[in-house]
Amino acid sequence: MKKSLVLSAALGVLSLTLAAGALAQGSGAVACAQTDAAQVSALFDRWNSSLRTLDPDKVVANYAPDGVLLPTVSNKPRTNPAEIREYFVKFLKSKPQGKIDQRIIKIGCNVAQDVGTYTFRFKDGGTVHARYTYVYEWVNGQWLIAHHHSSAMPEVRKQSGISS
């Protein structure tokens, strides 16, 4: 009986949330940017191309002003453009280039997620296999990174001695 009540309450909240979204869309309060999986995939390519410039400001331009970076090779969360830039100043010295290995893309209203695994190669020939999450949001007419989490694969890190 308790499970049924909890499920009913959860479904009620979900119904209200969906109804509020439909009302907002119907009133013109929310306009959802149109996108598809190919466009979301291209956002990683844009970010990866900015790495090739070795210019931290070009990389930071991909992030929303309130974006959060939980980077692969740093324990410190980066929660503003200055901290994100500080990370990339150091990270770009190794001339990283990423390649998506596997991904799942989900698209919502003014938000898109790209989640999966990627491999980074560096100028010294080293590689890091990592898991990633990019959450993009539609901000002032463009898709920007609201949240970026990257973590080295635990099995690989344990074998290679890489620490985050």
Side-chain angles (χ1 to χ4, degrees), residues 37-50:
Q39 290 173 325
V40 174
S41 292
L43 295 172
F44 172 81
D45 297 336
R46 178 185 75 184
W47 178 84
N48 201 34
S49 291
S50 71

Side-chain angles (χ1 to χ4, degrees), residues 49-158:
S49 291
S50 71
L51 292 181
R52 273 189 211 101
T53 70
L54 304 179
D55 181 343
D57 294 318
K58 289 187 178 174
V59 179
V60 173
N62 292 288
Y63 291 81
D66 61 349
V68 173
L69 169 64
L70 301 175
T72 311
V73 292
S74 172
N75 290 332
K76 178 182 176 185
R78 310 303 170 123
T79 60
N80 62 58
E83 291 176 347
I84 293 170
R85 184 182 190 286
E86 175 189 48
Y87 174 77
F88 282 110
V89 164
K90 292 176 185 171
F91 187 65
L92 291 173
K93 289 178 182 176
S94 62
K95 296 186 179 178
Q97 277 303 290
K99 179 182 100 29
I100 300 292
D101 299 319
Q102 179 181 350
R103 72 170 12 132
I104 299 166
I105 292 176
K106 296 189 179 207
I107 299 170
C109 180
N110 297 329
V111 66
Q113 299 173 37
D114 182 355
V115 179
T117 60
Y118 52 19
T119 300
F120 275 89
R121 298 200 185 290
F122 303 96
K123 71 178 177 184
D124 68 1
T127 61
V128 172
H129 301 282
R131 300 170 287 195
Y132 73 86
T133 302
Y134 289 92
V135 177
Y136 300 98
E137 64 182 355
W138 187 249
V139 179
N140 298 324
Q142 63 179 335
W143 290 101
L144 295 175
I145 301 168
H147 173 81
H148 176 192
H149 174 230
S150 182
S151 57
M153 295 291 211
E155 296 85 3
V156 174
R157 180 174 54 215
K158 190 168 106 181

